[in-house]
Amino acid sequence: MTKKLLFLFDTDPVPSVFDTVVGYDGGADNIIGYGGVTPENVGALVDGCIYTRGPKEKQYTAIFVGGGSMTAGEAVFKAVKKRYFSNFRVSTMLDSNGSNTTAAAGVALLAKAAPLKGKKAVVLAGTGPVGMRAAAMLNIEGAEVAITSREKARADAAARAIEERFGFAPTPIEAVDNAARAEAVKGAQIVFAAGAIGVPLLDEKDWQNDPTIELIADCNAQPPLGVGGVEATDKAKERHGKIVIGALGLGGLKLKLHRECIGKLFDSADQLFDCENIYAQAKELA
């Protein structure tokens, strides 16, 4: 039987252990990881994937592009796709920093809890990989999206990058501290916290009595959490009259989604998994 080979192209110096484990759990027989992958050096790696197996066996070779930077991952993903031609291609997935699968799980669970169309959404720490993808997925659901950053220049740059990739520009907001972020979420119905591990973004007092906020998702599982008053295990739990989702509450769906997408890579040799179809898969699983 032809082995299912998953090649992990990581933009960080060392390939991700997390992505390796989930790759095996998703059905790969062997995972070969490369660190420090760039658009300049990825060509030879891609050639090794597309020239070694016949047409009927190519579906058992797949590529996963990861690493901590979504910008770097997108550049490598683009370079990989550019190398393909005719039937010389293999299925490929982009999930830098788990951004597509994490954001998809969070937004899919919010959409399951309540319609998002026409609602105002604020993505706290929206300039990172998860935040940028969450902004895109909230837009897919028809929400009016804003992203925050401690630096206006970073918020502006992220908004431009999102517009270039998805054709819409979220409103960039400078929010240097919790007080500023509390001001930023006023009038919003949806709050999506996508900050780094252990970085608090919003105090409980700043949302618990807010008459507008309806839905909250927090991607940070390590104390202190991103949103005060939300427990990591919350999964569409009502707190202070709001529906809240914690990092572990969405984590189960994230892992299931990640594994599901890995498995589907081996169904054929011509699939590309990125934001839109990963989110569509998340909605089915949710």
Side-chain angles (χ1 to χ4, degrees):
M1 181 178 292
T2 305
K3 296 288 187 182
K4 295 178 181 178
L5 304 180
L6 181 65
F7 289 88
L8 177 59
F9 295 170
D10 202 305
T11 59
D12 291 342
V14 179
S16 167
V17 172
F18 183 97
D19 291 339
T20 301
V21 173
V22 182
Y24 278 116
D25 290 346
D29 294 316
N30 288 288
I31 297 177
I32 303 90
Y34 295 89
V37 177
T38 68
E40 291 72 31
N41 65 23
V42 76
L45 298 175
V46 176
D47 289 349
C49 293
I50 64 177
Y51 290 122
T52 49
R53 286 177 159 174
K56 294 182 180 180
E57 296 178 318
K58 276 190 171 64
Q59 73 181 74
Y60 301 113
T61 300
I63 294 172
F64 181 99
V65 178
S69 168
M70 173 52 71
T71 302
E74 286 183 318
V76 169
F77 191 60
K78 183 177 181 180
V80 170
K81 292 187 292 181
K82 190 175 181 180
R83 205 77 175 181
Y84 295 157
F85 66 97
S86 185
N87 67 340
F88 289 91
R89 63 187 67 243
V90 297
S91 290
T92 308
M93 177 175 173
L94 172 64
D95 199 25
S96 296
N97 206 32
S99 52
N100 276 327
T101 50
T102 300
V107 176
L109 289 174
L110 290 175
K112 181 182 178 182
L116 307 185
K117 186 175 182 179
K119 294 181 178 178
K120 293 183 178 180
V122 177
V123 182
L124 303 178
T127 60
V130 174
M132 292 174 69
R133 281 317 205 236
M137 294 168 188
L138 287 164
N139 177 72
I140 289 172
E141 287 295 331
E144 180 183 331
V145 187
I147 58 174
T148 75
S149 174
R150 287 173 292 182
E151 300 175 9
K152 183 61 160 59
R154 290 186 63 189
D156 289 341
R160 287 194 299 269
I162 292 169
E163 183 175 25
E164 182 178 347
R165 168 62 178 82
F166 297 102
F168 93 100
T171 302
I173 300 174
E174 181 180 60
V176 298
D177 54 24
N178 283 21
R181 286 184 284 271
E183 189 66 27
V185 301
K186 286 183 179 179
Q189 289 81 44
I190 305 162
V191 176
F192 193 103
I197 290 175
V199 177
L201 298 172
L202 190 67
D203 297 328
E204 184 175 9
K205 64 180 177 59
D206 293 321
W207 65 267
Q208 61 181 352
N209 296 316
D210 188 298
T212 306
I213 294 174
E214 303 172 8
L215 301 161
I216 298 173
D218 183 9
C219 296
N220 185 7
Q222 182 172 314
L225 303 185
V227 178
V230 174
E231 296 292 334
T233 54
D234 288 344
K235 186 175 182 180
K237 183 178 179 63
E238 184 175 328
R239 292 188 183 275
H240 306 302
K242 331 292 185 188
I243 300 299
V244 301
I245 301 167
L248 298 180
L250 66 86
L253 177 58
K254 180 264 189 297
L255 286 171
K256 185 177 181 180
L257 173 63
H258 193 152
R259 290 192 293 263
E260 185 87 2
C261 290
I262 293 295
K264 287 181 176 296
L265 288 174
F266 300 108
D267 289 345
S268 67
D270 57 356
Q271 300 181 90
L272 296 171
F273 284 87
D274 196 358
C275 179
E276 293 87 347
N277 53 357
I278 289 176
Y279 180 59
Q281 185 66 31
K283 290 193 70 174
E284 288 185 20
L285 293 176

